[in-house]
Amino acid sequence: MYFLLSQLSLMDLLLVCTIVPKMAADYLTDRKSISPAGCGLQIFFFLTLGGGECFLLAAMSYDRYVAVCHPLRYSVLMSRQSCLRMILGSWFLGAADGLMQAAATLSFSFCSAREMDHFFCEAPTLVRLACADTSAFEYVMYICCVLMLLVPLSLILTSYGLILAAVLQMRSNKARKKACATCSSHLSVVGLFFGAAIFTYMRPKSYRSANHDKVVSVYYTVFTPVLNPLIYSLRNSEVKGALRKCMDQCAALSICPKVRSCKK
């Protein structure tokens, strides 16, 4: 579980580093420009990390399914080699999608007005600036997005459907609570990530607007990666114990001066 979590943290960190430094530099310097190569790299890394995280979340749901439904076989089904294959598969599928869409997007010829109403290079926004007919590419890109989102999401829903069936058969309330606590953090992350991604990439064109796209993009490129460590940390008993101890120490330090003044 922690091996998969380390990869999720790495993907979130790289995703923030792909978007936020350039965005902050543009606002501070008021340049607001990017080279074609930089734009292509931003599209590639963004889609690689976003697509890889979709499949990594599916692998984590399988990990939770094995932990709840097959605990005695956990060390065999989720061995180090199995986890490594899942992680490499997630990175490979994400990189394949990112490379394909970045290369196809930059292959179009763009008109003289090359201004995007966005804070980073995103394939759907950049395609709108192309002078050529992009309907075929937009259709293929829509199919790719549907596959990259719905295939992992269907695997996640299948895993949690089997987990729910196993939990309902448990006779012990303590075992049920433990199983629900094991899965609650991952379900929260899945809801945040897939909810924003589906809203962005699977809406019809008639319902899209530049302002909505920017707001939702900030949500899943900045806020979601920041919230993920907090969600998983606050569900960890060791982290909660350390946080409680730290708060008690801070409270004790704030009380000490008052006690000394009373003694004087």
Side-chain angles (χ1 to χ4, degrees), residues 5 13 25 49 72-73 77 97 109 148 221 241:
L5 276 175
L13 179 63
L49 297 166
L72 299 179
R73 299 176 60 196
L77 296 175
D97 180 57
S109 58
M148 293 293 287
T221 57

Side-chain angles (χ1 to χ4, degrees), residues 103-126:
T105 303
L106 295 179
S107 65
F108 291 108
S109 58
F110 296 96
C111 302
S112 56
R114 300 187 177 186
E115 293 183 357
M116 291 186 298
D117 189 11
H118 216 321
F119 62 91
F120 74 102
C121 281
E122 197 171 17
T125 308
L126 190 62

Side-chain angles (χ1 to χ4, degrees), residues 1 56-66 68-69 152-168 179-191 194 232:
M1 182 182 69
L56 183 64
L57 290 173
M60 294 174 72
S61 70
Y62 175 73
D63 171 72
R64 297 298 84 206
Y65 159 72
V66 175
V68 174
C69 300
L153 185 59
S154 63
L155 295 175
I156 292 171
L157 294 177
T158 302
S159 297
Y160 278 105
L162 296 173
I163 289 173
L164 180 61
V167 170
L168 292 177
C180 293
T182 303
C183 302
S184 59
S185 300
H186 183 255
L187 278 174
S188 302
V189 172
V190 167
F194 279 95
Y232 274 104

Side-chain angles (χ1 to χ4, degrees), residues 1 6 20 29 53-54 56 80 101 109 114 116 118 141-142 164 170 172 174 182 201 210 224 231 239:
M1 182 182 69
S6 67
V20 174
T29 61
E53 188 162 337
C54 289
L56 183 64
R80 189 81 173 182
Q101 291 203 38
S109 58
R114 300 187 177 186
M116 291 186 298
H118 216 321
M141 185 172 62
Y142 180 77
L164 180 61
M170 294 178 181
S172 172
K174 185 178 180 181
T182 303
Y201 290 101
T224 301
I231 292 171
V239 175

Side-chain angles (χ1 to χ4, degrees), residues 67 190 202 216-217 224:
V190 167
M202 295 182 64
V216 179
S217 296
T224 301

Side-chain angles (χ1 to χ4, degrees), residues 203-222:
R203 279 181 304 160
K205 274 188 175 181
S206 57
Y207 291 94
R208 292 184 179 179
S209 67
N211 290 331
H212 288 165
D213 288 344
K214 285 187 285 187
V215 171
V216 179
S217 296
V218 170
Y219 181 78
Y220 67 78
T221 57
V222 180

